[in-house]
Amino acid sequence: MDNNPIIVLGDSCPQIGYYTRPKTYGKEYEMVSRYIDFIKKQNQGNKLKHVAIFIEPQIASGYPDLVVVEYFSNPSIMWSIQRRELGKTELQLLYFIQSHKRTYSTRISELLGFSDVEVKNSLKKLEKCSLVRWYQNNAVHAIELSKYCRINKIISIEAKIDKWKEAIRQAEMNMWFSTESYILLNKNGYSQKTYDECCNKGIGIILVNGNICKELKSRKREFPVSYASLQFNEWLQGFQREIKNDFK
């Protein structure tokens, strides 16, 4: 898969727990498709930057229109089949541990509200996948992020033909998992009010009517932003394993 740095996940892939919203064809779909073609053209042949495009993936907050993930090519990272068993709880714990670097299972229970049994069962799964180190004194240590995660940035995009307020509302929601958040508008320009609101919220603006151009850059956040950021890594690596198995 690394010979082709552009991956598009437009349909559900139940084998890896990835689901998308059924496609709705129309002007908005055409606008998003045009922007996807633009991303492909921009990154075609770029062996240094690898890109995965997720179209309306199902996450806890809904279905963002488009999520563009930039990731590193690192053949040394091995994705094990056991990682398919990881669910929301395990990823929440993994994010917490990664954020704190070192903690205790009892503290995880106290702060995240899971029972001791839930925490211990989830830690067993994470340790089995070599994603954490869990010691007899209940201390839990994080594994270096680059050892199991290939993602560099997650860019979320909300597309609207004319409802810019709704686009901004959804783009703001997407900040909980993405390192950059944009609205995609089918316009040649925008009002000062739109610009000011996006600027204040840290949301970027992309226009696709005529030439495609990035009018305002999004404020950047450090990866991972939340446990959902890590979910995209699991989908990406699980999907790549599925593709490799198909060609065996």
Side-chain angles (χ1 to χ4, degrees):
M1 287 299 299
D2 286 341
N3 292 325
N4 181 4
I6 302 172
I7 298 172
V8 179
L9 291 92
D11 297 305
S12 297
C13 184
Q15 302 94 311
I16 61 170
Y18 176 71
Y19 296 92
T20 62
R21 182 161 53 186
K23 295 182 180 64
T24 302
Y25 297 98
K27 290 183 178 179
E28 190 174 295
Y29 177 85
E30 291 172 3
M31 178 174 65
V32 170
S33 296
R34 186 182 170 206
Y35 188 65
I36 290 173
D37 290 340
F38 173 76
I39 296 172
K40 289 180 179 178
K41 187 175 181 180
Q42 263 198 332
N43 293 281
Q44 194 68 49
N46 188 341
K47 295 183 179 180
L48 297 177
K49 184 172 70 175
H50 293 240
V51 174
I53 302 170
F54 296 79
I55 303 173
E56 294 193 276
Q58 183 185 52
I59 60 174
S61 56
Y63 297 87
D65 288 330
L66 205 61
V67 180
V68 180
V69 172
E70 295 184 7
Y71 65 98
F72 301 108
S73 173
N74 190 345
S76 64
I77 294 179
M78 298 299 291
W79 190 89
S80 65
I81 197 70
Q82 288 87 355
R83 280 166 71 166
R84 281 186 182 174
E85 299 176 15
L86 302 181
K88 178 181 175 181
T89 302
E90 285 73 46
L91 292 177
Q92 286 178 311
L93 265 63
L94 181 60
Y95 174 71
F96 180 88
I97 296 163
Q98 185 64 52
S99 301
H100 289 77
K101 305 304 179 187
R102 184 177 184 275
T103 186
Y104 290 88
S105 59
T106 50
R107 184 150 179 79
I108 295 173
S109 299
E110 291 171 4
L111 295 180
L112 297 188
F114 295 115
S115 68
D116 290 341
V117 173
E118 286 176 309
V119 170
K120 288 179 180 179
N121 287 339
S122 291
L123 285 176
K124 286 178 183 177
K125 290 182 181 179
L126 291 170
E127 189 175 42
K128 186 178 179 181
C129 296
S130 301
L131 296 177
V132 300
R133 296 189 183 92
W134 187 22
Y135 299 95
Q136 289 184 347
N137 64 350
N138 287 324
V140 186
H141 291 203
I143 300 293
E144 187 178 346
L145 186 65
S146 62
K147 298 294 185 184
Y148 66 88
C149 184
R150 302 171 66 181
I151 294 177
N152 178 32
K153 62 175 69 172
I154 297 179
I155 305 164
S156 59
I157 299 162
E158 284 299 328
K160 286 289 180 288
I161 297 298
D162 49 23
K163 298 178 181 178
W164 63 269
K165 287 185 178 180
E166 179 64 16
I168 291 175
R169 186 189 70 81
Q170 292 179 355
E172 189 174 15
M173 285 177 57
N174 291 341
M175 288 180 171
W176 81 280
F177 71 88
S178 59
T179 59
E180 298 176 38
S181 183
Y182 285 87
I183 60 173
L184 184 69
L185 302 177
N186 188 36
K187 296 178 179 294
N188 290 321
Y190 46 84
S191 67
Q192 186 64 44
K193 185 177 181 180
T194 301
Y195 179 88
D196 290 343
E197 189 166 349
C198 286
C199 195
N200 289 337
K201 295 179 183 296
I203 296 167
I205 301 174
I206 302 171
L207 302 181
V208 297
N209 194 354
N211 294 326
I212 295 176
C213 54
K214 187 180 291 182
E215 292 287 320
L216 175 65
K217 289 185 177 181
S218 166
R219 188 180 301 146
K220 296 182 179 180
R221 293 169 292 281
E222 186 177 352
F223 178 88
V225 183
S226 68
Y227 77 88
S229 304
L230 298 176
Q231 177 66 79
F232 281 92
N233 179 64
E234 296 307 301
W235 284 333
L236 172 63
Q237 296 196 57
F239 181 76
Q240 289 185 314
R241 181 187 176 94
E242 287 296 318
I243 294 297
K244 287 178 181 179
N245 288 340
D246 286 344
F247 283 93
K248 284 184 178 180

